[in-house]
Amino acid sequence: MDESENLPLNPRVAAGAETITGIVERRLSRRGFIGGLTAVSGFALAACAGRPAEVTNASAQEMARSQPAFSFPEIARGLDQTHHVAEGYRADILLRWGDPLWADSPAFDPLNQSATAQVRQFGYNNDFVGFVPLDPDTDGAPRGLLCVNHEYTSTFLMFPGIRADDPAGITREIALTEIAAHGGTIVEIRQQASGWRPVIGSPFNRRLTADTPMELTGPAAGHLRLQTTDDPSGIKVLGTLNNCAGGITPWGTYLMAEENINGYFLGDLPKDHPETNNHKRMGVPGGWYRWGRHIERFDVSKAPNEPNRFGWIVEVDPMDPASTPKKRTALGRFKHEGAESVVAPDGRVVLYSGDDQRFDYIYKFVSAGRYNPANRAGNMDLLDSGTLYCARFNEDGTVTWLPLVFGAGPLTPANGFNSQADVLIETRRAGDILGATPMDRPEDIEPDAKSGRVWVMLTNNDRRTPDQVDAANPRHSNRFGHIIEITEPGGDFTSETSTWEILVRCGDPSIAEVGATWNPLTSENGWLASPDNCAIDASGRLWVSTDGNDDTGAADGLWAIETDGERRGSGRHFFRVPIGAELCGPRFTPGGETLFVAIQHPGDGDGASFEAPTTRWPDFSDAAPPRPSVMAITRTDGGVVGG
Ligand code: FEO
Ligand code: CA
Ligand code: CA
């Protein structure tokens, strides 16, 4: 999800999502223009973009393994009330909003949803999906822990009688229910003959919400700017907000990225308040929700430091349901989209994170300590110390990683930074001063340990003007996004200099003005727009999901993207979501036999409401609203997903 405006109740509207009416109208008007692919010359340009001939992608070529080609039959682009998966596969509902997690969880009752029920049930708007394998059961059944983020709530779809443009009906009980529907779910799942099923009442099951006690750790923990009247220690925070994507660390912890935290705050600060400019850079107060009318800490005029306690990466140990989640301040504070990590050859851990806003930055963190696969406890605080870098994409095809270290370069008291805590609390401003490259909304970033490559999803940026174009963001008014491939030299993810090129400029290649650059071997269904989340499968192959493909008249979904060989830069359409939804998650089991996907905000759209959603997926019952759900996709013959 992207923050840009300050509008009530429907964060999708705030994010500039187009109306369903507009989508359908344009789809119909454009139908006659969708034909063969005409992007041969464009693809040739993409292969060379930002890279002079002498800088080659040699390390990736040397390291990449031979990857099996995707062989599933493509689905057709389209838009309707339900989901579609490639022939030969089954997509099963695993968990829906409101599903019970314990034997005593109240049954889902959408007409009478409450905070006490919600906190015992699967939350709303599933986004990130992680999978931590457990030893098989005594009967040999595969099992694991599913870790799912609940990014935000769609108040008008969840509760009867609420209009997206009328906050008057938001009672304290509704606010508390929304708080309980946020955060994350950790749930044990097992694969039975009938498919994957949640283990109701598993001792691992846990709900994390926007009210769960957490701790700030690392260099900024306890700083004056993180202290509040409720928490003079500056360490104890209630809850996590707007958990978009995330990550699973090499030691099996669950990282929850806090993204559009600004939307939860109301109220104003005096112009001369020391936090005013800091809050402005983060878009605080965003005013998307009315929680601040009922709960003081969400009103910045009453708790001016509370927003500084959000916008971090939260680390949770899914193996210990009693553990306290840690907000790792060393990773910086911004609108974190995700947090995927990899172990570098020397054992240090490198974590990549995008700041999802137009013209914001890409970051990586290099731990000071080294990962020890034989000592899980010894890895648990690796994310508390290390170096955070922001990326400058140079025209010569290199990336310079600029360290965000207090006292180095311009990060000094002369520029308002008096400690490393200041640098981390105002990471964006530090990136501004260092000269990081403003990007077209960085979303998921996935490092591939086997090839030394890192794939970066840049979803779109319709506000880039012609004079703001650069090599790494080559299109103005970029409505459809692009994918950048970074190569870490020799697979050394800790390197302060990398190389980059554009894998593909997204959008419809049959429309010349779009400027898309797909491999011409891509079929008419194989192109996508607005890449958001991504996953790397067991064979090292890239899969990309979208949030905004519906801007082209067809549903969001999942595409397999070739990254090597003659089909490099081609796509293949695997799955699509019901109307109103975007596709989040994608996550494979270690062997690649199951793919989990998260269907977020089904039934959304212009004028949609609890009473009149655009679809009632997945229950298709007049008694039930649409329900965000996680699905498990498997091949009917039991093989590896993707062929
Ligand atoms: Fe929550 Fe950047 O999508
Ligand atoms: Ca999204
Ligand atoms: Ca996202």
Side-chain angles (χ1 to χ4, degrees), residues 2 56 104 221 266 297 374 388 422 473 507 576 586 615:
D2 151 55
T56 66
D104 66 353
L266 295 172
R297 69 189 178 100
L388 183 67
D422 281 340
N473 302 276
R576 72 178 210 237
T615 178

Side-chain angles (χ1 to χ4, degrees), residues 1-2 12 127 151-152 242-245 259-260 335-337 356-357 441-444 459 532-533 547 582 600:
M1 191 172 70
D2 151 55
R12 300 300 306 167
D127 196 304
E151 185 186 21
Y152 71 102
N242 209 260
N243 303 100
C244 192
E259 193 191 26
N260 292 300
K335 295 183 180 177
H336 284 278
E337 166 74 20
D356 181 9
Q357 185 140 356
R441 290 188 56 197
E443 300 245 29
D444 244 1
T459 211
D532 185 338
N533 298 126
D547 176 12
E582 67 174 273
Q600 195 189 58

Side-chain angles (χ1 to χ4, degrees), residues 6-81:
N6 188 359
L7 295 172
L9 290 182
N10 186 351
R12 300 300 306 167
V13 174
E18 191 179 9
T19 67
I20 291 299
T21 307
I23 292 167
V24 172
E25 280 176 1
R26 209 149 24 72
R27 174 169 60 118
L28 293 175
S29 70
R30 276 234 346 266
R31 203 171 256 164
F33 295 94
I34 299 175
L37 297 165
T38 57
V40 178
S41 58
F43 175 72
L45 282 174
C48 302
R51 180 179 299 281
E54 67 274 17
V55 183
T56 66
N57 201 357
S59 55
Q61 300 294 336
E62 288 158 11
M63 295 185 67
R65 299 168 308 155
S66 165
Q67 298 173 335
F70 295 110
S71 61
F72 60 86
E74 275 200 282
I75 63 167
R77 295 170 63 80
L79 183 67
D80 62 20
Q81 302 252 314

Side-chain angles (χ1 to χ4, degrees), residues 223 225 273-283 308 311-312 331-336 355 357-363 388-391 402-438:
H223 191 273
R225 299 176 69 183
H273 190 283
E275 295 298 337
T276 297
N277 288 337
N278 169 35
H279 287 351
K280 191 173 177 189
R281 183 71 176 84
M282 284 288 282
N308 288 345
W312 306 102
L331 305 181
R333 175 174 174 267
F334 46 91
K335 295 183 180 177
H336 284 278
D355 183 349
Q357 185 140 356
R358 297 169 183 85
F359 303 110
D360 260 293
Y361 309 133
I362 288 169
Y363 297 86
L388 183 67
Y389 298 87
C390 54
L402 306 160
L404 291 101
V405 175
F406 170 65
L411 304 181
T412 61
N415 285 311
F417 298 103
N418 293 302
S419 64
Q420 184 65 17
D422 281 340
V423 171
L424 296 169
I425 291 166
E426 295 188 77
T427 302
R428 285 180 157 188
R429 192 166 71 82
D432 297 342
I433 292 175
L434 287 172
T437 300

Side-chain angles (χ1 to χ4, degrees), residues 462-481:
D462 56 2
R463 294 183 193 167
R464 188 176 291 274
T465 57
D467 64 315
Q468 292 173 316
V469 160
D470 59 37
N473 302 276
R475 282 186 290 183
H476 66 83
S477 310
N478 179 8
R479 287 176 57 202
F480 306 112

